[in-house]
Amino acid sequence: MDVAAMSSALSAMQLQQQVQLSVVGKAMDFQEQNATALIETMSEIPVAQDPNRGQLFDMSV
């Protein structure tokens, strides 16, 4: 393999690695936004006034 072919192959591999890192970065940003939105949504859910409510379930048939 000559130097020009090796150089172009190396450049192609570096470009592919940069694109992959960019895609992973975008995916991580998207997941962080989703997690933040989920946390905000969960914090808006009303909580029972009685801290003992919902811990025991008695049922008679």
Side-chain angles (χ1 to χ4, degrees), residues 27-52:
M28 289 175 64
D29 291 342
F30 183 72
Q31 290 299 327
E32 183 179 0
Q33 290 174 354
N34 284 345
T36 302
L38 178 63
I39 291 170
E40 289 175 359
T41 302
M42 289 178 67
S43 67
E44 295 172 1
I45 295 174
V47 180
Q49 297 296 327
D50 184 9
N52 297 322

Side-chain angles (χ1 to χ4, degrees), residues 7-26:
S7 177
S8 65
L10 178 63
S11 295
M13 286 183 2
Q14 288 175 339
L15 177 62
Q16 183 180 8
Q17 184 180 21
Q18 288 174 352
V19 168
Q20 289 174 346
L21 287 173
S22 177
V23 169
V24 168
K26 296 279 185 187

